[in-house]
Amino acid sequence: MTLLVVTAVDAEAQAVARGLPAGADVLTAPVGVGPAAAAAGTARLLALAGGRYRAVVSAGIGGGIGLAPGATVLASRSIAADLGADSPDGFLSLDELGFGSALAPVDAGLLDRLRAALPGAAVGDVLTVSTVTGTVAGTAELLRRHPDALAEAMEGYGVACAAQGAGLPFAELRTISNPVGPRDRAAWRIGDALAALTHAAPAFATLLG
């Protein structure tokens, strides 16, 4: 059976494809930016697959929290960090509102295999946001609510929802392009992050055994 690796954009999909071992039964596909596009695009691929896929991985670049550009992060959980409600007492998560959960755990077996294949990768929470954090105040509030977070991206939770709906195991891998914080395009290292994604890609083949 095939492993499905979904990215937001084509540049990420190409970076993964460049690093895959020859003959690896891995399909890499860009599904769009943001959690809604990621969920819809992944669900469409799964619905048309006829049971072809054995697992789903959300992969791509993202902002790092305490990590330098080029670092690799494996999600222990994918968290919809801005899914909830504002209130006079502060932000209320989906869990606090009682409308479901903003926490999507990753499959323990997939995570164990990825950790073994990528011993230098950091492991921790990866946040999914619809609006990328770009201010000092926003960063402080994000870290107050999610002190164990290592990265921020825009698709993981959406992909996780699609995988869960299809009954498939899910994992998330991010490579760091910039620090989370005040928006500073001069600090972005997208080339380094894409190169790290290519370097990490052989680990996906270990999920096929």
Side-chain angles (χ1 to χ4, degrees):
M1 297 178 73
T2 303
L3 175 71
L4 176 62
V5 177
V6 294
T7 67
V9 298
D10 190 57
E12 294 167 320
Q14 290 183 22
V16 172
R18 284 194 295 271
L20 290 172
D25 195 3
V26 178
L27 176 68
T28 305
V31 293
V33 175
T42 303
R44 178 179 181 277
L45 290 172
L46 296 177
L48 296 174
R52 171 185 178 186
Y53 300 116
R54 65 182 305 155
V56 183
V57 178
S58 176
I61 68 176
I65 301 171
L67 297 171
T72 298
V73 179
L74 301 173
S76 54
R77 298 184 299 179
S78 182
I79 302 175
D82 55 7
L83 183 58
D86 281 330
S87 82
D89 297 320
F91 180 81
L92 298 173
S93 71
L94 197 65
D95 304 72
E96 292 169 310
L97 292 169
F99 297 151
S101 182
L103 308 177
V106 307
D107 180 81
L110 295 183
L111 178 57
D112 285 346
R113 291 190 181 192
L114 289 172
R115 291 182 73 170
L118 298 166
V123 180
D125 291 342
V126 175
L127 307 180
T128 299
V129 295
S130 295
T131 301
V132 172
T133 305
T135 66
V136 171
T139 302
E141 174 61 13
L142 192 74
L143 296 180
R144 184 190 68 79
R145 299 202 315 263
H146 302 286
D148 296 326
L150 294 181
E152 174 188 272
M154 301 182 75
E155 292 81 32
Y157 180 82
V159 176
C161 288
Q164 183 179 37
L168 292 175
F170 162 80
E172 182 174 7
L173 181 149
R174 295 286 160 186
T175 55
I176 302 305
S177 59
N178 58 278
V180 172
R183 188 172 176 83
D184 177 12
R185 289 293 299 268
W188 292 9
R189 300 290 183 268
I190 292 177
D192 292 345
L194 292 174
L197 200 54
T198 299
H199 181 75
F204 296 139
T206 69
L207 306 181
L208 296 167

